[in-house]
Amino acid sequence: MRKQTLSGILGVLAAFVIGALVLALQGFNPVATYGALLQYSLFSASGFTATLTRAVPLILTGLSASIAFASGPVNLGQPGQLEMGALGATLIGLFVHLPSAFLIPLCILAALLGGALWSGLAALLKRAFAMDEFIVTLMLNFIADYFALWVITYPLFDPSASSPMTRSINTAAWLPDLGGVNTSVLFMVLAAVICWLIMSRGRSGYEWRMTGQNPLFARIGGCKVDANYVRVMLVTGALAGLAGGLMIMGGPHRFVKGLGANYAWDGIMIAVVASNGISGTFLYGLLFSALQQGAIGMELVTAVPSEFIDVLQAVIVLVVVAGRVSLNMVFDRLATRRKLKESAR
Amino acid sequence: MNVLFGLVSAMVVGATPILLAAIGGTFTFYAGIFNIAMEGMMLVGAFCAVLGSFFLHSWFLGVLCAIAGALIMAGIFILFAVKLHTDEFLTGIALNLFAVGLTTFLLRDIFHVKGAFTDAGIRAIPSVKLPLIDGIPFLGRLLSGYNLIVYVAVLATVLSAFVIFRTRFGLRLRAAGYNAVCLNSSGVPASMIRIWSLIVCAVCCGLAGAYLSLGYVRLFAENMSAGRGWISLAAVILVSGNPWGIAVISLLFGFFDGLTVFLQGSRIPTQFTAMIPYVATLGSLYLYSVRKKRRQA
């Protein structure tokens, strides 16, 4: 764990140095750029709360990918599952009229179901026809994207809007702000805590992780590997769906075109840098959220295109992941040398 | 008759980028690399092609730039996955994200536009009339007059089948994937073969990217590879790397892709016709698994 933290911090710092070099090469001032980035994401009240709100879909899709990768199934379908979850919440929010106390849980349930439905389809195809979930979930992403676009262009189209979007959902389903922070953050934190409990304290989490590391061992040890596979797919799909639902209920309160596109691969990226750990996913989710939030202010102040952050994120992923492997090799070598010295004595 | 010609040409247009990327992917497939970076290589290739074509006023230099861009991506892959032993899957995902980020960033930074860049100054890759066949009435219209890259793709397919199954390099390539330890002990470093396979893959993906941005259209749009790299990966896995199989699968995808264009005027909403290639991928995965099950039984 300490090694992980060390390689993570070193990796992020190294990535920032590389980013600074890129900026300097383009003729920008790296110090001023990073200063603006921090100013608009962490060191101002409005920036900080916006960072927290933005972290909701990032961390939830990250958790989805982390749990899936740690347990075996290569679920790359978070973008599609997010959109289906968002669609579920939007449907309930548009057509069901209830007081908030009932409508909000109902919307969240619909979001969970929407995501689980889409990942469950991939799980079904895998179990029934042995179709690799890795490609199936990817293809389902595109299909969900076009399907959602169709839904908001034709059946649920808001006639008063100029681009494809639905009408606004019932205000009873809106998640309120508490002291500037949207309550969707609370739901996200709750989900993260539950994930952590399941994965590191629960029996099913242990079974899942063992299956991920060695399916044969898990099977011989008495785990129902196939049933667990379906469960993991459903849970991770539901997490991504929750991300979509919370985005609708906390943010624009309607399904707008390109809702999931901005968060498409971020969850997978976060899971990859966090090497599928729950707490790591949470922290990297916050980091990436801060970067993305600060990007807007950075563009305003220093004229560096906000897309620079996309490059920086990918560099962080590459450097942290490669750094972890290299650092492990260095540690192993040091340990070997120490052992050799001990045995020589 | 015109419908037939239209459909065939739409099929060829759709199949070419997938075929080229999949031919590249088959080299890394045989070398035993789980290479999912085709999508990113293609995207960078498409961007560099526009970059080169616009600033150097030549489609040929644009294509060279596309190949160079894809080679840089391959260089990063080699550095991390082959040299530093980072997980290939993770490296591939990171590279694909890097490609999306980098191209959107540079699109803003160099051309100062968001979304897409198109300009009359971008030179397109020309179409070629085959010298002898062009004169034949029916066959000429069916086979001649396509974009240059289309013929390059056909050539690449034939060449790759020859190289992989008939040459010493091909034998070593397959050995690197089949039993790397054995290849190492026979005096040929498997990592060297892997590096070469990635270089070949990058050249193919660069050409595929150039076709995307300079072949059929003359523009670069954000994320314009639109999952074609993933579809080509699916094609490689479906036929276990066989170049002839890849050609058939690519044409099939091209057909469905062409169908998408064809159905645009009809009553079916475009959102559903746009799904067709991805649904077709799922369908072929299904057929593959059924066939595999039957063979095992």
Side-chain angles (χ1 to χ4, degrees):
Chain A
M1 194 61 202
R2 263 177 48 218
K3 259 195 284 185
Q4 283 254 7
T5 321
L6 183 67
S7 71
I9 292 171
L10 282 179
V12 171
L13 286 179
F16 271 93
V17 171
I18 294 174
L21 285 177
V22 172
L23 284 174
L25 274 177
Q26 304 267 342
F28 297 112
N29 181 353
V31 180
T33 309
Y34 285 146
L37 194 65
L38 289 175
Q39 175 66 34
Y40 280 88
S41 59
L42 298 176
F43 297 125
S44 63
S46 64
F48 186 66
T49 53
T51 297
L52 283 182
T53 312
R54 187 181 274 268
V56 171
L58 290 182
I59 291 177
L60 284 174
T61 49
L63 288 173
S64 164
S66 286
I67 293 178
F69 296 167
S71 316
V74 188
N75 178 3
L76 299 179
Q78 283 80 18
Q81 290 146 18
L82 181 144
E83 290 196 73
M84 294 314 258
L87 214 53
T90 310
L91 273 177
I92 297 292
L94 277 175
F95 296 113
V96 178
H97 298 274
L98 282 172
S100 287
F102 298 103
L103 192 56
I104 287 177
L106 202 61
C107 279
I108 286 184
L109 195 68
L112 291 168
L113 277 177
L117 179 85
W118 211 235
S119 64
L121 183 60
L124 181 78
L125 290 174
K126 165 82 169 194
R127 295 285 298 114
F129 308 117
M131 288 160 69
D132 217 337
E133 78 274 0
F134 152 57
I135 297 178
V136 171
T137 48
L138 268 173
M139 293 302 135
L140 286 177
N141 282 345
F142 293 102
I143 296 171
D145 197 34
Y146 284 117
F147 179 70
L149 188 59
W150 174 74
V151 169
I152 62 175
T153 317
Y154 295 104
L156 296 184
F157 181 59
D158 177 6
S160 64
S162 55
S163 67
M165 59 172 75
T166 64
R167 281 184 295 117
S168 185
I169 58 172
N170 288 335
T171 41
W174 293 20
L175 287 174
D177 283 357
L178 277 182
V181 181
N182 193 269
T183 16
S184 61
V185 176
L186 295 181
F187 285 99
M188 180 270 287
V189 173
L190 187 71
V193 170
I194 293 173
C195 286
W196 183 80
L197 283 176
I198 291 176
M199 287 310 274
S200 57
R201 292 289 177 273
R203 177 179 153 179
S204 41
Y206 174 74
E207 282 194 8
W208 295 353
R209 277 187 292 123
M210 282 308 115
T211 313
Q213 283 170 17
N214 190 340
L216 195 63
F217 169 78
R219 193 187 296 261
I220 291 170
C223 301
K224 294 191 174 60
V225 177
D226 292 337
N228 277 343
Y229 172 86
V230 177
R231 265 179 226 139
V232 170
M233 284 299 280
L234 289 177
V235 166
T236 54
L239 276 170
L242 179 65
L246 290 179
M247 275 173 78
I248 296 280
M249 295 158 70
H253 309 301
R254 58 174 81 207
F255 200 121
V256 289
K257 188 185 172 187
L259 176 88
N262 300 329
Y263 300 93
W265 282 86
D266 290 354
I268 290 157
M269 184 155 70
I270 289 164
V272 165
V273 271
S275 74
N276 310 333
I278 302 293
S279 46
T281 302
F282 195 84
L283 292 176
Y284 279 111
L286 285 178
L287 171 71
F288 280 32
S289 159
L291 289 178
Q292 293 176 5
Q293 186 57 40
I296 304 155
M298 176 192 79
E299 182 172 316
L300 223 64
V301 174
T302 61
V304 177
S306 58
E307 284 81 3
F308 167 71
I309 293 308
D310 297 330
V311 181
L312 187 62
Q313 283 179 356
V315 172
I316 289 178
V317 175
L318 273 177
V319 174
V320 171
V321 172
R324 192 155 54 218
V325 179
S326 326
L327 215 62
N328 273 344
M329 281 190 342
V330 171
F331 278 126
D332 286 351
R333 215 164 278 168
L334 287 177
T336 320
R337 200 169 292 167
R338 205 171 52 230
K339 283 272 161 59
L340 275 175
K341 254 183 205 159
E342 275 172 16
S343 58
R345 219 176 278 148
Chain B
M1 209 43 143
N2 275 329
V3 174
L4 176 76
F5 284 127
L7 204 56
V8 167
S9 100
M11 178 166 100
V12 169
V13 166
T16 303
I18 290 171
L19 175 61
L20 268 172
I23 289 294
T26 196
F27 276 88
T28 51
F29 176 85
Y30 277 117
I33 302 173
F34 189 53
N35 177 13
I36 57 168
M38 268 107 76
E39 179 88 12
M41 289 182 186
M42 220 197 277
L43 190 60
V44 170
F47 179 80
C48 291
V50 165
L51 195 70
S53 175
F54 180 69
F55 284 112
L56 302 173
H57 310 293
S58 148
W59 61 267
F60 183 71
L61 292 176
V63 172
L64 286 188
C65 284
I67 293 174
L71 278 174
I72 291 172
M73 294 291 282
I76 300 175
F77 195 99
I78 291 166
L79 173 68
F80 282 97
V82 182
K83 291 289 175 195
L84 294 173
H85 299 283
T86 313
D87 190 273
E88 286 158 358
F89 182 69
L90 302 187
T91 314
I93 285 188
L95 265 186
N96 287 338
L97 294 167
F98 181 65
V100 177
L102 187 73
T103 48
T104 13
F105 171 62
L106 292 178
L107 193 65
R108 277 291 298 286
D109 201 43
I110 297 175
F111 298 117
H112 307 288
V113 288
K114 260 187 170 172
F117 174 73
T118 175
D119 191 284
I122 302 173
R123 308 283 163 89
I125 302 168
S127 298
V128 178
K129 282 200 185 333
L130 293 181
L132 285 172
I133 299 169
D134 197 51
I136 307 168
F138 180 76
L139 221 56
R141 225 180 131 190
L142 205 61
L143 296 178
S144 179
Y146 291 113
N147 195 284
L148 177 68
I149 300 283
V150 174
Y151 299 109
V152 173
V154 174
L155 202 67
T157 313
V158 178
L159 213 62
S160 70
F162 177 77
V163 167
I164 291 171
F165 297 114
R166 292 272 184 278
T167 64
R168 188 158 69 176
F169 174 75
L171 185 68
R172 288 174 174 174
L173 183 77
R174 284 177 288 144
Y178 190 69
N179 194 336
V181 179
C182 182
L183 185 67
N184 277 331
S185 63
S186 69
V188 183
S191 60
M192 209 55 221
I193 298 290
R194 292 204 167 130
I195 288 173
W196 277 112
S197 79
L198 278 163
I199 289 173
V200 173
C201 178
V203 172
C204 290
C205 290
L207 284 171
Y211 181 76
L212 282 183
S213 60
L214 296 183
Y216 189 55
V217 290
R218 283 185 309 160
L219 62 88
F220 178 83
E222 270 174 36
N223 209 359
M224 80 183 301
S225 48
R228 286 190 182 83
W230 296 109
I231 292 183
S232 64
L233 178 70
V236 173
I237 294 173
L238 277 178
V239 296
S240 320
N242 188 307
W244 303 115
I246 287 173
V248 173
I249 297 259
S250 303
L251 280 176
L252 206 66
F253 286 131
F255 173 75
F256 285 115
D257 210 27
L259 214 57
T260 309
V261 182
F262 236 66
L263 290 173
Q264 250 162 22
S266 72
R267 296 240 310 276
I268 308 165
T270 49
Q271 288 86 1
F272 282 104
T273 54
M275 284 180 197
I276 293 174
Y278 309 108
V279 176
T281 310
L282 290 181
S284 51
L285 263 179
Y286 166 74
L287 290 178
Y288 168 73
S289 73
V290 168
R291 209 184 55 181
K292 201 162 116 186
K293 208 180 262 177
R294 203 171 291 156
R295 204 179 288 163
Q296 278 165 357

